């Protein structure tokens, strides 16, 4: 049997494995997927997880529950020698070993793209994982508890100041969802008012959300301003040392919660391979998702998702390539699986082509925006569209049911605003009172 190795279990990796299980005949190929996590994270739900609108476990999909025919390895592919068709796999426990393959699918995804701004690496947190989203939620809830027992002053202001860097979809959704959460919390803290909370979004460009029209982005700015949330356009973050925010406009204030959402880049793990990489660090692939170099197709190598420079045949992509989002990653994976099976059977491949269906964003409970061409929907109807689309888009029906069920009970019972930050040190309670041998 042919051996197929899938590097990464995110959107593209999970869907490639799922569709290979569907299309491969019994005994036709052996599929192995390597990922350090046992689940796929549905990234569009991270802002709602951070705001407490979705249970964290409902925003992830278990690999082992839904990939019954795939060999799953918890670890990382730390080196790819495609000339020899050998990959080095480093499991979470045990020694690294070499794995020989016939076909390799590189779907390692992306990571947060940062800049060498003083303090960012030490003080900020990203929003690319479920763990980060939960940590953001717990931090904001804990800060409200702390601020409620403090008098008005710099220390309380710092605790109740939230800074989001980046005005793309991820940044705006995170910013608006956290503003919604903070506003809802105020009813439980009579010591605090909305004037005590300070929300700042920093965007280097002159506009937010480039995926929507300019009038729609202006509506979002107006809506955020009405909710006491400040957006700084044409502004760069210059320093965040010790939580002290220094902006290019000369403004300065302190924050205890700094969230970085200013773009992504292809996983740096691609550098440890002999596969062709373009100038932005992405895998070079052609429209049928096979890897290519200057001489043509690299046999036995495939790529999809955020780590690949996939040509956008519709002409709508930035620089001629598909933008890194879930809409493309899922569809690329499905096409890749079909093309890979076709190659194994000596058949021809089909090029990937998908025109963006539009963009939809949730901006807190009851508020959203939708844009498709010249059609724009704002407010409550767009929020319903956002939840409907993403609730159905998360893979597997058991996940969809859990998500919709959670939304329903939140509607009936309200948001569950309990922080579990002590989970970071679970043995603290036991250690405090445990008996120890006498010296």
């Amino acid at each position: 049997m042919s051996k197929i190795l899938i590097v990464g279990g995110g959107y593209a990796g999970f869907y490639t494995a799922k569709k290979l299980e569907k299309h491969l005949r019994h005994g036709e190929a052996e599929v192995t997927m390597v990922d350090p996590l046992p689940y796929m994270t549905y990234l569009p739900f991270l802002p709602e997880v951070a705001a407490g609108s979705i249970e964290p476990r409902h925003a992830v999909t278990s690999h082992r529950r839904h990939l019954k025919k795939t060999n799953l390895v918890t670890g990382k592919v730390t080196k790819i020698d495609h000339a020899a068709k050998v990959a080095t796999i480093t499991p979470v426990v045990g020694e690294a070993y070499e794995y020989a393959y016939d076909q390799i699918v590189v779907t390692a995804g992306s990571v947060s793209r940062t800049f060498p701004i003083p303090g960012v690496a030490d003080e900020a947190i990203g929003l690319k994982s479920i763990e980060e989203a939960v940590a953001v939620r717990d931090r904001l809830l804990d800060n409200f508890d702390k601020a409620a027992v403090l008098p008005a002053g710099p220390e309380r202001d710092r605790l109740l100041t939230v800074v989001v860097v980046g005005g793309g979809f991820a940044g705006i959704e995170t910013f608006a969802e956290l503003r919604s959460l903070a506003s809802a919390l105020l009813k439980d803290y009579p010591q605090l008012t909305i004037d005590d909370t300070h929300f700042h979004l920093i965007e280097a460009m002159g506009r937010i959300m480039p995926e929507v029209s300019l009038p729609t982005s202006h509506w979002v700015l107006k809506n955020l301003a009405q909710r006491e949330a400040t957006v700084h356009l044409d502004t760069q973050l210059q320093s965040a040392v010790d939580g002290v925010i220094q902006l290019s406009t000369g403004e300065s204030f302190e924050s205890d919660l700094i969230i970085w959402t200013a773009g992504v880049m292809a996983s740096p793990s691609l550098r440890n391979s002999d596969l062709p990489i373009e100038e932005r660090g992405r895998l070079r692939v052609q429209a049928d998702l096979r890897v290519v170099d200057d001489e043509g197709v690299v046999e036995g190598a495939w790529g999809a998702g955020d780590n690949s420079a996939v040509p956008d045949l519709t002409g709508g992509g930035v620089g001629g390539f598909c933008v890194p989002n879930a809409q493309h990653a899922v569809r690329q994976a499905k096409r890749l699986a079909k093309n890979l099976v076709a190659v194994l059977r000596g058949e021809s491949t089909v090029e990937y082509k998908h025109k963006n269906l539009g963009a939809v964003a949730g901006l807190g409970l009851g508020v959203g925006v939708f844009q498709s061409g010249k059609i724009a929907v704002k407010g409550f109807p767009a929020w319903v569209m956002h939840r409907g689309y993403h609730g159905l888009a998360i893979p597997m029906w058991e996940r969809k049911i859990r998500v919709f069920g959670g939304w329903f009970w939140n509607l009936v019972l309200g948001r569950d605003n309990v922080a579990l930050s002590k989970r970071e040190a679970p043995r603290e309670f036991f250690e405090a009172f445990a008996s120890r041998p006498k010296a």
Side-chain angles (χ1 to χ4, degrees):
M1 290 192 295
S2 292
K3 288 187 174 182
I4 301 173
L5 175 63
I6 301 175
V7 182
Y11 286 108
F14 176 84
Y15 273 97
T16 298
K18 190 66 180 173
K19 294 306 176 182
L20 284 175
E21 289 188 350
K22 177 182 178 181
H23 299 306
L24 287 170
R25 303 186 186 112
H26 178 70
E28 190 171 13
E30 176 185 281
V31 181
T32 298
M33 188 175 80
V34 182
D35 193 275
L37 298 173
Y39 51 77
M40 185 216 86
T41 303
Y42 190 70
L43 298 180
F45 278 159
L46 292 185
E48 286 203 59
V49 171
S53 295
I54 292 179
E55 162 67 28
R57 287 181 300 175
H58 296 172
V60 300
T61 302
S62 168
H63 290 155
R64 294 192 181 276
R65 179 166 183 171
H66 298 291
L67 297 176
K68 297 297 186 182
K69 300 177 184 178
T70 302
N71 299 323
L72 299 171
V73 178
T74 305
K76 296 181 180 180
V77 172
T78 50
K79 184 180 179 181
I80 299 172
D81 182 0
H82 190 67
K85 289 195 173 180
V86 171
T88 301
I89 297 176
T90 304
V92 291
V93 177
E95 298 294 323
Y97 60 92
E98 293 187 340
Y99 179 88
Y101 61 83
D102 299 296
Q103 304 279 338
I104 190 167
V105 178
V106 183
T107 52
S110 60
V111 299
S112 296
R113 180 192 63 185
T114 59
F115 306 102
I117 300 171
V120 167
D122 301 313
E123 302 291 338
I125 185 171
L127 206 73
K128 282 284 290 177
S129 71
I130 199 73
E131 292 81 5
E132 289 174 320
V134 173
V136 166
R137 175 176 177 267
D138 286 347
R139 174 68 69 86
L140 184 58
L141 292 173
D142 279 350
N143 283 358
F144 264 77
D145 284 334
K146 295 173 183 176
V149 299
L150 290 173
E155 189 175 358
R156 192 168 81 174
D157 287 343
R158 178 188 175 100
L159 289 170
L160 296 179
T161 297
V162 176
V163 174
V164 175
V165 184
F169 251 62
I172 290 295
E173 285 192 291
T174 300
F175 187 60
E177 288 285 356
L178 292 178
R179 173 69 271 182
S180 176
L181 171 60
S183 297
L185 286 174
L186 290 172
K187 70 179 185 300
D188 297 325
Y189 295 88
Q191 310 91 330
L192 305 174
T193 69
I194 195 169
D195 293 331
D196 295 317
T197 62
H198 313 283
F199 278 71
H200 298 271
L201 184 135
I202 303 166
E203 170 53 46
M205 305 295 289
R207 62 162 297 176
I208 60 170
M209 303 174 77
E211 299 90 343
V212 303
S213 67
L214 197 58
T216 301
S217 72
H218 288 163
W219 182 88
V220 174
L221 289 173
K222 182 179 178 181
N223 179 268
L224 289 170
Q226 291 171 344
R227 294 154 63 184
E228 302 296 327
T230 303
V231 177
H232 304 263
L233 298 178
D234 293 314
T235 304
Q236 292 86 40
L237 175 64
Q238 294 188 328
S239 176
V241 174
D242 297 326
V244 179
I245 304 298
Q246 300 281 352
L247 302 182
S248 58
T249 57
E251 295 176 79
S252 179
F253 47 86
E254 294 190 32
S255 172
D256 193 59
L257 181 54
I258 306 166
I259 306 164
W260 183 275
T261 63
V264 298
M265 65 179 184
S267 173
S269 64
L270 294 180
R271 300 168 190 163
N272 299 320
S273 79
D274 58 351
L275 293 170
I277 306 297
E278 46 97 77
E279 62 273 9
R280 293 184 61 184
R282 298 174 298 180
L283 197 63
R284 291 175 58 188
V285 300
Q286 60 184 24
D288 67 356
L289 303 169
R290 287 189 286 184
V291 175
V292 292
D293 58 17
D294 294 337
E295 299 178 1
V297 172
V298 177
E299 294 296 335
W302 305 77
D306 290 3
N307 69 188
S308 300
V310 180
D312 189 341
L313 300 184
T314 68
V318 179
F321 298 102
C322 296
V323 296
N325 64 21
Q327 195 175 130
H328 280 303
V330 171
R331 290 169 173 80
Q332 288 169 11
K334 293 177 179 179
R335 171 47 53 198
L336 190 157
K338 290 180 180 179
N339 283 349
L340 201 163
V341 172
V343 167
L344 293 180
R345 297 173 183 170
E347 301 169 0
S348 59
T349 60
V350 176
E351 293 182 331
Y352 171 77
K353 185 177 181 180
H354 171 69
K355 186 175 182 180
N356 198 311
L357 300 176
V360 62
L363 304 175
L365 290 180
V367 186
V369 292
F370 168 80
Q371 184 86 46
S372 180
K374 295 183 179 180
I375 300 173
V377 181
K378 311 176 188 75
F380 183 77
W383 177 73
V384 174
M385 295 168 70
H386 162 77
R387 285 206 158 178
Y389 172 76
H390 285 297
L392 293 174
I394 189 172
M396 316 317 299
W397 274 104
E398 60 97 6
R399 291 289 108 175
K400 303 179 200 296
I401 292 170
R402 292 179 195 274
V403 168
F404 279 113
W407 281 335
F408 171 78
W409 287 115
N410 279 353
L411 183 65
V412 175
L413 303 173
R415 218 176 335 212
D416 189 355
N417 296 325
V418 177
L420 296 175
S421 52
K422 285 294 184 181
R423 79 194 185 287
E424 305 263 345
R427 294 190 68 251
E428 183 178 304
F429 301 100
F430 179 78
E431 286 181 311
F433 305 103
S435 298
R436 300 180 183 276
K438 293 182 179 179

